[in-house]
Amino acid sequence: MITIVERRPVAFTLGFGAAMVALTVVARVGLETLFPSLTLHGIGLILNWLFVALVVGLVAWLGWWERIRLTAPVNRRALIYLLPFAAMVFVPVAFGFAIPEVSLVEGTTLPAWAALFVIVVGVALGAAIAEELLFRGVLLRALEPRGRVLAVVLPAVVFGLSHVSQVVLGNSLAEWLPQMILIIPLGIGLGAVAFRLESLWPLVLWHFAVDVTAGLVANPSPLMDLAAIALIFVVFVVGVGLLWQDRRLEAARAPVQAPVSD
């Protein structure tokens, strides 16, 4: 059976991104009505794992475990492309670690061990599973027949725009815009490298690790932000270079049409 994901991959990608934002709005309104004592952090945690269930359910419905490279071995030669990504994981280490205060219910603060569990498992693990399986998994592979450039760039744009859901969950628009601008080139680098790795697991592990260290940084500063921006620029350049190579290969493999004579 050919699904809408395969028949209309562009429309599905755009529609799914819009649906994620709409679901965030509906979930916030619904959860605030049913559980008025929940904080926005608590709502975000529930929503995070709702997205995990939605994406895993999508993969199960499609039967794409193999197609999105969850069962494929890692191309070890391509691991070198992960070096700038690995640097992004370790940059926050230079600024120290601390467990922040986390409140899921108004008027209560979690003990340190529970706050750590929420950050590591509730936030970082959930985001790594949902976002990599969707953006570097389903959407990347659905769009691949249309060319690798489109398969990388469109999900990266939707990846960035979908983070407007953070505004719905209480972040300011001024915080969201720089984040979105950075997430799009980061997504391009991730997508381009995903094709080389041949397995999705290295990116899931990276996403998990970077969200953990970023969530536990003790003293964020402009210097850390500048280092992150520089690394994202490197990742973007690497991604563009890989896509340029892919574009040339696709052009070389395209059938040559014979000239039409009168």
Side-chain angles (χ1 to χ4, degrees):
M1 179 183 68
I2 299 177
T3 66
I4 187 174
V5 182
E6 296 162 291
R7 291 197 310 270
R8 299 285 188 272
V10 173
F12 180 81
T13 299
L14 296 173
F16 203 96
M20 291 176 67
V21 177
L23 180 58
T24 303
V25 175
V26 172
R28 175 173 177 176
V29 173
L31 289 171
E32 283 181 336
T33 302
L34 294 173
F35 308 102
S37 61
L38 275 178
T39 64
L40 289 178
H41 199 149
I43 292 172
L45 184 64
I46 294 172
L47 189 61
N48 196 33
W49 281 90
L50 181 60
F51 281 137
V52 172
L54 182 63
V55 172
V56 171
L58 174 64
V59 177
W61 173 64
L62 293 169
W64 280 16
W65 308 107
E66 183 176 354
R67 183 165 177 175
I68 67 173
R69 308 307 196 267
L70 286 177
T71 59
V74 178
N75 177 11
R76 295 183 181 180
R77 295 180 181 177
L79 290 176
I80 190 172
Y81 296 120
L82 292 180
L83 289 178
F85 293 98
M88 293 175 65
V89 174
F90 291 106
V91 162
V93 176
F95 298 86
F97 283 150
I99 301 175
E101 290 188 354
V102 175
S103 176
L104 303 181
V105 178
E106 295 288 352
T108 63
T109 301
L110 295 177
W113 68 267
L116 181 62
F117 182 83
V118 166
I119 292 169
V120 173
V121 177
V123 177
L125 182 61
I129 293 172
E131 293 183 354
E132 294 308 317
L133 263 63
L134 177 63
F135 292 105
R136 262 66 66 182
V138 172
L139 301 183
L140 186 83
R141 298 302 172 179
L143 289 162
E144 186 177 6
R146 305 291 182 90
R148 287 192 171 186
V149 173
L150 180 65
V152 167
V153 173
L154 184 58
V157 173
V158 175
F159 182 43
L161 293 176
S162 67
H163 280 72
V164 73
S165 59
Q166 298 302 314
V167 178
V168 178
L169 294 175
N171 290 343
S172 69
L173 188 62
E175 292 174 322
W176 170 71
L177 281 175
Q179 185 183 51
M180 180 199 70
I181 292 170
L182 291 174
I183 284 175
I184 291 174
L186 175 62
I188 290 173
L190 285 167
V193 169
F195 281 121
R196 295 304 195 282
L197 289 171
E198 299 177 5
S199 171
L200 195 58
W201 288 114
L203 296 185
V204 173
L205 293 175
W206 169 82
H207 198 139
F208 169 70
V210 78
D211 280 2
V212 168
T213 56
L216 295 176
V217 65
N219 300 299
S221 72
L223 182 60
M224 188 182 78
D225 294 336
L226 287 174
I229 291 170
L231 287 169
I232 289 173
F233 177 76
V234 172
V235 165
F236 174 69
V237 170
V238 170
V240 170
L242 294 176
L243 288 178
W244 177 254
Q245 292 178 13
D246 291 340
R247 182 81 175 187
R248 293 181 64 184
L249 285 173
E250 289 173 357
R253 293 171 182 168
V256 179
Q257 293 184 347
V260 178
S261 57
D262 294 335

